[in-house]
Amino acid sequence: MELSLWQAPFFFGAISSQTQPLLTISLAVGVGIILSALAQRLNFPSIVLLLFGGFILGPECLNWVQPDSLGDILPLIVSFAIGIILFEGGLTLNLGDYAHATKMIQRLLSVGALTTWMGGAVTIWLIFDVPFAFAMLASSLVIVTGPTVIVPILKKIKPVPRVANILHWEGVLIDAIGVFIAVLCFEWVVVGEGGQAVGNFMLRVFAGALMGMGGGWLIERVITLRWAPESMTNVFVLASGILLFGLCETVISESGLLAVTLAGLYIGRKGPLELREIRSFKAEITDLMIAMLFILLVARLEIEQFLAFGWHGLAAVLVMMLVVRPLSVWISSLGIDIPWREKVFLAWVAPRGIVAASLASLFALYLQKSGSTLGDPTFLETFTYSIICATVIIQGLSASVIGTWLGVRRPAPTGWLVIGANTFGRQLAHQLQKITKKDVVLIDSNLRNINRAKDEGLTALQEDALDAESLLEQDAFQSVGQVLAITDNVELNQLIQRQWRRHVGRYQVYGWKPLVTSNPNQVAQPQRGAAPTSPNQERTGAVFGNIARPSVVSAELEDEESALDCIPIAIGEDSTVAIPEGHPLMVIRNERAIPLAGDDLADGEVRSGDSLILLHRSRTYLRNALEHGAFFEPEVTTLEALNQTLVNQAVSIEPKLFADQMLDDLTAQQKSFPAFLGQGVAVPHVYSSHIQNRMCLFARPPQGIPVAGQEDQIRLIFFLISPSGDAEGHLGTLAEIARCCNHQNNLAALATADSLDDVLKVV
């Protein structure tokens, strides 16, 4: 075929028959993904752009994509892609959701599917005056809805959980059922196998179920037993699904679709640790398949066939949307307690997708090749794609308005998800619930923390916080609109932020991150007058940089060394803000909580009527550290012997401590900056990542220990060990030791103390 100048892609002249298939596939994949990305960016149904893209690239317009150049390979590509799509659909199913809508789902998949099939067949038979057998074949193609079009709509409008679960399950499971009904009908009315078609249908169901469950079990066992390298898990699962599909199709044709759907369902139900990564990877491959298929299949369509469809076609589409679908939902819901508003919404939203389009094109290709006289092959594609365009465009774009009008959309999520159910997380959750009146959900991998949170009346679950997409499908997370990660692992907090940002918004996710210093074991202390960080700025979402590690804060809260309170803001007549003593964590304004990055508050961040959630000291640092320490009188006369004795005593109290590391730290400290306060007092101090509470050992050797360059001998020793990252508590304890030993009366009392209780009385 001679190409006009505007039709010749990239160069002047025609494309050779050898390169045209390559160009067709390349454009279908590349442009399809670009359009899908653009649709997601614009929050627009991707199938709409793909329909227009396929038409423009096809022979009816630019003629760059020529599906006919693929020959007999096109049906294979379509079958292969549908298998991957259904495999991914099975992986995403959650049996917990199915329990909430079992009867309605069963009705829609049985009575509802039959109603749609027969109702569509009667409609086509009456309007177009075609043989009833051909009308049944055409109607069988639009039984399916499909997750590829339902899921984006559900994500956009966020209906109430029951409606969302029903539509999601129907969209995934109806694909496999619809495919079998369509194949059965095709054999019956086209191939002409008569009663044998029923036997073939039952054989396909049995074989597909058996091989699918067996294949799913085998794949899951290989993953669980780590027989496949971790780096190849995603590829292994994809390849296994493809192999299962190919083997099933080879043994019994048309059994592969059910097999891969059930295999995916089995793997998802067993939930191996790698499931989140597998789902993410498979979702990306599925997006690729859908984009490619729509471009290829739509490019086959011609304008003339839709013009010929005319008013009869429009009438058929309207009857399918406004009569057949509502009738299907009404019959399926008989005897089931579902509010009429939800029924109306279910009746309105039933967009068809890639499976319907693929089957229509496959059957049309077969009828054209076989020369069947049963009916016009192009009618199958014209009718099916008309239903797809009408349902996707009209229902997809109006679902949000209809859902709002019917009142079946969930309210805007404003609740909190706190990752970390330690004492700090639990007390913060209590404050948020009490002050903001919002729902708070806690997640933790530690079952003990989860149980303690439940005992305190909080909603807490042992889940993987990184699997945001799956969690948001659960009822407990429907109200989550803001996320706060307060684990000790900064990198994990940041990863959690990235995962949730795409679901709740980039300005609604926060994570603990300490202010950075040159010492990795310390947290920089906020300096007054430093550049303020506004809570309304996204920055990196880093908050609570003014406090120690969350586990350290939890230990202080448990020991009642620190406290978490909500205190009203006091603003003076000169508009100055009086910040209470402590570290401000959140600004509370109109029942809304805004996490803060540090102690410094910028102008305008707090107003009259605001409150602050503060972390403040309720007991002295030194007293708490001594209570975790000990009192002893070592028989030593040198610094080296003193260090060894101090370390041994500390390890005897807390075996988790590393003696060698502490000795090295003490030796290095004495070489660079001897911990000698004067007046006979020494304060050797180190950090350790192996403890959660600061501990201070008070030692008083019977004989003084001489120090080079010092007139006074060491007679009183405070040996301080602090958790890594607890710079505030560490420095605060050192400051309290210095203040205590600055008074002669205190020194005299410490010199005559006989026990730890006597030392505590002095401090």
Side-chain angles (χ1 to χ4, degrees):
M1 179 177 64
E2 182 109 17
L3 297 179
S4 62
L5 178 62
W6 68 277
Q7 287 180 312
F10 313 123
F11 52 86
F12 302 108
I15 303 297
S16 67
S17 59
Q18 289 79 19
T19 58
Q20 184 59 57
L22 175 62
L23 179 62
T24 295
I25 293 294
S26 300
L27 287 173
V29 172
V31 176
I33 287 297
I34 292 173
L35 292 177
S36 297
L38 179 62
Q40 185 174 351
R41 183 70 176 176
L42 299 175
N43 199 21
F44 195 74
S46 61
I47 193 173
V48 177
L49 295 185
L50 291 172
L51 287 169
F52 284 108
F55 178 77
I56 293 173
L57 291 174
E60 287 295 291
C61 194
L62 296 179
N63 199 31
W64 292 359
V65 173
Q66 298 179 16
D68 292 341
S69 67
L70 300 176
D72 294 337
I73 298 178
L74 181 60
L76 296 178
I77 294 175
V78 174
S79 298
F80 178 81
I82 294 177
I84 294 178
I85 293 170
L86 292 184
F87 185 37
E88 191 270 341
L91 283 171
T92 60
L93 288 178
N94 188 330
L95 293 178
D97 292 340
Y98 184 74
H100 297 294
T102 304
K103 187 176 293 186
M104 186 64 184
I105 290 297
Q106 291 175 344
R107 296 269 190 88
L108 284 173
L109 297 178
S110 54
V111 178
L114 182 62
T115 302
T116 302
W117 185 18
M118 291 296 101
V122 171
T123 300
I124 296 171
W125 178 61
L126 292 175
I127 293 178
F128 294 97
D129 192 23
V130 297
F132 190 75
F134 187 74
M136 289 180 61
L137 176 62
S139 179
S140 70
L141 297 172
V142 294
I143 293 175
V144 298
T145 53
T148 59
V149 284
I150 282 291
V151 172
I153 292 176
L154 296 180
K155 287 183 177 180
K156 181 180 179 181
I157 65 176
K158 293 181 173 60
V160 293
R162 177 166 50 191
V163 172
N165 293 338
I166 291 174
L167 289 175
H168 179 71
W169 271 88
E170 180 194 18
V172 174
L173 292 182
I174 199 67
D175 274 352
I177 295 173
V179 166
F180 280 114
I181 292 177
V183 170
L184 171 64
C185 189
F186 186 78
E187 287 185 347
W188 194 296
V189 304
V190 177
V191 181
E193 294 184 357
Q196 188 178 353
V198 177
N200 290 338
F201 173 74
M202 298 304 296
L203 180 62
R204 286 190 174 96
V205 172
F206 176 76
L210 182 63
M211 290 186 286
M213 296 301 289
W217 174 84
L218 183 59
I219 295 171
E220 187 272 334
R221 293 309 300 166
V222 171
I223 298 172
T224 302
L225 296 175
R226 299 288 194 274
W227 289 352
E230 185 176 353
S231 60
M232 295 185 63
T233 300
N234 293 335
V235 176
F236 169 78
V237 174
L238 174 63
S240 299
I242 293 172
L243 177 61
L244 177 64
F245 176 75
L247 291 176
C248 293
E249 288 290 314
T250 302
V251 175
I252 299 179
S253 63
E254 309 304 334
S255 65
L257 297 180
L258 177 61
V260 294
T261 302
L262 292 180
L265 178 60
Y266 184 90
I267 297 171
R269 178 69 180 88
K270 286 297 181 179
L273 296 176
E274 298 82 0
L275 183 59
R276 180 178 55 84
E277 291 80 4
I278 294 172
R279 282 174 172 170
S280 178
F281 177 71
K282 285 290 285 92
E284 294 175 356
I285 299 298
T286 297
D287 290 340
L288 180 66
M289 295 293 101
I290 293 171
M292 177 189 69
L293 277 186
F294 261 109
I295 296 294
L296 287 177
L297 298 180
V298 174
R300 298 184 65 256
L301 305 178
E302 299 177 356
I303 297 179
E304 288 76 10
Q305 65 189 86
F306 290 96
L307 295 177
F309 208 41
W311 292 104
H312 292 81
L314 178 60
V317 170
L318 291 177
V319 170
M320 292 296 297
M321 292 176 58
L322 302 179
V323 178
V324 175
R325 173 63 179 182
L327 181 63
S328 173
V329 172
W330 177 73
I331 293 177
S332 299
S333 63
L334 288 176
I336 302 177
D337 185 18
I338 297 180
W340 70 268
R341 295 177 182 273
E342 296 183 11
K343 292 181 183 178
V344 172
F345 188 79
L346 291 171
W348 176 246
V349 178
R352 275 61 169 187
I354 187 62
V355 175
S358 302
L359 289 176
S361 297
L362 277 177
F363 289 174
L365 288 170
Y366 183 87
L367 291 176
Q368 290 171 352
K369 186 176 181 180
S370 64
S372 174
T373 59
L374 180 65
D376 183 8
T378 60
F379 177 86
L380 298 179
E381 289 185 305
T382 306
F383 173 72
T384 303
Y385 279 94
S386 296
I387 294 292
I388 291 174
C389 291
T391 55
V392 169
I393 295 176
I394 298 176
Q395 295 177 350
L397 297 180
S398 65
S400 179
V401 176
I402 298 297
T404 303
W405 176 66
L406 292 172
V408 299
R409 298 183 66 181
R410 295 195 302 269
T414 56
W416 281 90
L417 171 62
V418 178
I419 293 94
N422 50 27
T423 305
F424 179 38
R426 297 196 303 273
Q427 291 199 19
L428 194 59
H430 282 298
Q431 292 284 351
L432 289 172
Q433 279 188 336
K434 177 182 177 181
I435 301 167
T436 66
K437 307 298 191 296
K438 301 294 191 302
D439 294 334
V440 180
V441 181
L442 291 123
I443 283 181
D444 202 302
S445 59
N446 189 315
L447 184 59
R448 179 173 175 269
N449 287 340
I450 294 298
N451 290 333
R452 291 180 66 180
K454 291 180 178 179
D455 291 341
E456 295 175 12
L458 296 168
T459 302
L461 299 167
Q462 189 179 25
E463 298 281 359
D464 181 4
L466 293 173
D467 196 4
E469 188 167 356
S470 296
L471 292 178
L472 286 172
E473 294 176 0
Q474 300 182 28
D475 292 347
F477 297 89
Q478 298 299 317
S479 63
V480 171
Q482 299 169 97
V483 178
L484 174 63
I486 50 174
T487 74
D488 283 3
N489 189 327
V490 175
E491 290 75 16
L492 176 60
N493 293 341
Q494 293 173 333
L495 185 57
I496 291 172
Q497 289 175 253
R498 287 196 294 268
Q499 292 293 327
W500 284 89
R501 192 172 293 165
R502 68 187 71 171
H503 300 287
V504 300
R506 63 188 306 180
Y507 298 108
Q508 307 302 324
V509 291
Y510 311 93
W512 172 77
K513 182 180 180 182
L515 300 177
V516 180
T517 69
S518 58
N519 186 343
N521 289 327
Q522 290 189 6
V523 177
Q525 299 306 298
Q527 299 296 320
R528 293 291 177 182
T533 302
S534 170
N536 297 319
Q537 292 177 314
E538 184 259 344
R539 298 246 175 151
T540 61
V543 294
F544 302 172
N546 51 344
I547 63 174
R549 286 186 289 116
S551 61
V552 174
V553 175
S554 293
E556 292 182 356
L557 291 170
E558 289 178 359
D559 293 337
E560 299 182 355
E561 181 181 349
S562 296
L564 205 62
D565 293 308
C566 185
I567 301 175
I569 292 293
I571 300 181
E573 296 181 358
D574 56 352
S575 298
T576 58
V577 179
I579 303 297
E581 187 67 27
H583 297 302
L585 301 181
M586 289 184 169
V587 174
I588 306 298
R589 178 179 303 149
N590 298 326
E591 296 187 347
R592 180 192 173 203
I594 308 172
L596 299 169
D599 285 346
D600 291 294
L601 298 176
D603 293 339
E605 282 190 352
V606 290
R607 308 170 188 169
S608 179
D610 290 350
S611 299
L612 285 177
I613 294 181
L614 289 124
L615 178 70
H616 61 84
R617 301 291 305 170
S618 58
R619 298 174 62 189
T620 66
Y621 290 114
L622 179 55
R623 180 178 181 83
N624 187 74
L626 284 168
E627 288 178 348
H628 288 93
F631 169 86
F632 66 107
E633 296 178 304
E635 296 285 347
V636 294
T637 58
T638 65
L639 286 176
E640 291 76 10
L642 174 64
N643 291 342
Q644 185 67 62
T645 303
L646 292 174
V647 168
N648 292 340
Q649 186 70 20
V651 173
S652 68
I653 298 173
E654 180 50 77
K656 294 181 180 179
L657 291 168
F658 281 8
D660 293 342
Q661 181 63 51
M662 287 194 296
L663 276 176
D664 293 341
D665 292 343
L666 287 175
T667 302
Q669 181 184 94
Q670 289 169 357
K671 289 181 179 179
S672 60
F673 185 77
F676 187 66
L677 296 182
Q679 302 187 77
V681 180
V683 190
H685 53 94
V686 295
Y687 285 98
S688 174
S689 59
H690 303 288
I691 59 173
Q692 297 296 329
N693 298 287
R694 282 182 309 280
M695 56 188 302
C696 183
L697 282 69
F698 179 76
R700 192 180 61 206
Q703 300 180 10
I705 301 175
V707 179
Q710 300 289 336
E711 294 183 2
D712 296 331
Q713 292 184 334
I714 297 178
R715 298 187 179 278
L716 303 175
I717 300 104
F718 291 87
F719 179 35
L720 176 64
I721 310 171
S722 296
S724 298
D726 185 19
E728 178 195 354
H730 191 79
L731 298 177
T733 307
L734 293 176
E736 290 181 6
I737 293 173
R739 286 196 296 270
C740 176
C741 296
N742 194 37
H743 299 278
Q744 292 298 324
N745 292 339
N746 291 340
L747 291 175
L750 291 172
T752 59
D754 294 325
S755 65
L756 182 60
D757 288 338
D758 291 340
V759 176
L760 290 173
K761 291 177 182 178
V762 175
V763 302

